[in-house]
């Protein structure tokens, strides 16, 4: 028991020292204006290189990702059909779809799916 705890303490010390060394050695002390400016074929940029990001697009992308994950979670229900009773399978499937539809309704009601704004 003493061996395991002492090995744990040694591992924590080693990882802390390595992380501190990496943080100290990776810092760049000289900030060069040329290196931090955007590059457009050697010329000064005509306009701002940082375009404003559409928060609406990001929100739609996150909603799409959530619904994709939920569909992936629904697919194993088809494989489980022969191994479970139909009533349990149907109740789990309906409950999951109900949560999915309620989430969609909430997003729609809050206006997250409106592109007009």
């Amino acid at each position: 028991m003493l061996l395991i705890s002492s090995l744990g303490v040694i591992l924590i010390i080693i990882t802390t020292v390595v992380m501190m060394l990496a943080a100290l050695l990776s810092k760049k002390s000289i900030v060069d204006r040329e290196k931090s400016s955007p590059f457009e074929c050697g010329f000064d940029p005509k306009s701002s290189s940082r375009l404003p990001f559409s928060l609406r697009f990001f929100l739609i992308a996150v909603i799409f990702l959530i619904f994709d994950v939920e569909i992936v979670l629904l697919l194993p229900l088809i494989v489980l059909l022969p191994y479970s009773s139909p009533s349990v399978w149907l109740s789990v499937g309906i409950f999951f779809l109900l949560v999915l539809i309620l989430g969609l309704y909430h997003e729609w009601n809050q206006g997250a799916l409106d592109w007009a704004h």
Side-chain angles (χ1 to χ4, degrees):
M1 187 67 178
L2 182 64
L3 179 67
I4 294 173
S5 62
S6 62
L7 283 176
V9 170
I10 290 172
L11 284 174
I12 290 173
I13 291 172
I14 289 173
T15 55
T16 305
V17 168
V18 169
M19 287 172 55
M20 284 182 178
L21 282 174
L24 288 174
L25 295 176
S26 69
K27 299 276 184 195
K28 294 183 180 179
S29 60
I30 300 172
V31 177
D32 190 12
R33 179 184 149 329
E34 291 295 324
K35 287 185 179 179
S36 63
S37 66
F39 180 73
E40 288 187 10
C41 301
F43 300 106
D44 288 331
K46 292 182 179 179
S47 63
S48 175
S49 64
R50 306 283 184 223
L51 297 176
F53 185 73
S54 171
L55 192 59
R56 174 98 28 215
F57 175 76
F58 179 72
L59 183 62
I60 295 292
V62 168
I63 291 171
F64 177 76
L65 183 67
I66 289 170
F67 280 107
D68 274 357
V69 169
E70 289 175 350
I71 294 298
V72 167
L73 291 174
L74 272 175
L75 287 176
L77 280 177
I78 299 168
V79 177
L80 292 176
L81 181 60
Y83 303 111
S84 65
S85 68
S87 63
V88 172
W89 182 84
L90 192 62
S91 64
V92 168
I94 288 175
F95 176 73
F96 197 79
L97 284 175
L98 183 68
V99 169
L100 181 68
I101 291 170
L102 285 175
L104 177 63
Y105 175 73
H106 177 71
E107 293 294 331
W108 192 0
N109 196 19
Q110 293 295 319
L113 302 176
D114 292 336
W115 280 99
H117 295 264

